Amino acid sequence: AQSVTQLGSHVSVSEGALVLLRCNYSSSVPPYLFWYVQYPNQGLQLLLKYTSAATLVKGINGFEAEFKKSETSFHLTKPSAHMSDAAEYFCAVSDRGGSQGNLIFGKGTKLSVKP
Amino acid sequence: KAGVTQTPRYLIKTRGQQVTLSCSPISGHRSVSWYQQTPGQGLQFLFEYFSETQRNKGNFPGRFSGRQFSNSRSEMNVSTLELGDSALYLCASSLLGQGGTGNTIYFGEGSWLTVV
């Protein structure tokens, strides 16, 4: 069965510092991978997705993620954190070509940005 | 274009009652999915509807049900509410569905349900 593990339920960085949010997946075949962001009292907004076109995926708001099959990872990074990046981030996986293609989410990582 | 719209945004119900939540997908999208979000369990898939048919179902009791109309709008219903049903219920829509296509899935802002 597919699963997603997000290391660290809470990450705190200083404004201007590198943001690194970790995501590892478990799947028998390379899946589709997604990162979503959730601001307080809002729904989920797609940051980026991996569908095998390129291993380095660029998303909105300066975020990017790299798919590493050998490490079964899809970590999210941003070179310089802004205060507005404070939110909860979710990594999700979807089975490639499977009939049960619903998204399976990680537990989420809450990002705090200190001034 | 308009995003995924969910109504109501907030509601409070009493244990034992039933509730209906509504979702209007993005225009042209035929797939609507529902997710439950709680602090303890995180985001869990409830079910997906495509062209008025339930295509996928998560591991929830039969008290949770849904339907989709010919205009792709969807409703979900929870009967005999329990305290543990208190959650944010998120609706998501996509063009062709989630079935392993890599389709982008767009979420609404959710309906906050509190059961007292």
Side-chain angles (χ1 to χ4, degrees):
Chain A
Q2 288 181 319
S3 65
V4 175
T5 302
Q6 290 185 242
L7 293 174
S9 59
H10 192 194
V11 170
S12 182
V13 301
S14 298
E15 194 173 18
L18 170 72
V19 175
L20 171 60
L21 304 181
R22 300 177 187 273
C23 172
N24 288 87
Y25 68 90
S26 170
S27 176
S28 56
V29 296
Y32 296 113
L33 293 157
F34 307 80
W35 274 101
Y36 284 86
V37 61
Q38 186 176 36
Y39 298 100
N41 299 319
Q42 292 189 24
L44 300 174
Q45 181 182 5
L46 180 69
L47 280 175
L48 49 81
K49 69 175 183 179
Y50 166 74
T51 58
S52 81
T55 56
L56 182 62
V57 182
K58 294 189 183 299
I60 61 171
N61 302 339
F63 284 94
E64 63 181 37
E66 186 173 8
F67 172 72
K68 291 187 177 181
K69 182 180 176 181
S70 60
E71 299 177 8
T72 60
S73 68
F74 190 57
H75 301 332
L76 182 71
T77 61
K78 182 173 180 178
S80 176
H82 292 254
M83 297 296 291
S84 60
D85 294 328
E88 192 158 18
Y89 293 79
F90 293 92
C91 181
V93 63
S94 176
D95 190 14
R96 181 181 297 269
S99 59
Q100 296 295 321
N102 54 283
L103 291 175
I104 297 169
F105 285 89
K107 293 291 188 183
T109 298
K110 195 164 287 188
L111 175 67
S112 300
V113 182
K114 298 175 290 187
Chain B
K1 61 184 175 183
V4 180
T5 305
Q6 292 187 244
T7 56
R9 287 294 317 280
Y10 304 92
L11 67 166
I12 300 173
K13 289 287 187 178
T14 303
R15 195 168 42 177
Q17 286 186 315
Q18 66 96 27
V19 66
T20 299
L21 308 177
S22 181
C23 173
S24 293
I26 292 171
S27 178
H29 284 193
R30 296 167 62 189
S31 167
V32 173
S33 301
W34 290 88
Y35 289 80
Q36 181 196 64
Q37 185 178 23
T38 59
Q41 299 299 317
L43 282 152
Q44 296 186 91
F45 171 72
L46 280 156
F47 28 65
E48 180 203 6
Y49 286 86
F50 184 82
S51 293
E52 302 180 67
T53 301
Q54 187 181 86
R55 188 159 65 176
N56 291 311
K57 189 177 189 304
N59 190 25
F60 277 82
R63 300 186 296 107
F64 292 81
S65 63
R67 60 177 175 169
Q68 186 180 33
F69 302 96
S70 58
N71 61 358
S72 293
R73 192 177 69 84
S74 176
E75 289 180 347
M76 70 160 281
N77 184 279
V78 187
S79 63
T80 319
L81 284 165
E82 301 176 359
L83 296 178
D85 297 333
S86 295
L88 175 64
Y89 289 89
L90 291 164
C91 172
S93 80
S94 65
L95 195 60
L96 296 175
Q98 301 179 150
T101 63
N103 274 195
T104 297
I105 298 156
Y106 299 89
F107 284 81
E109 295 202 335
S111 292
W112 286 93
L113 170 65
T114 301
V115 182
V116 297

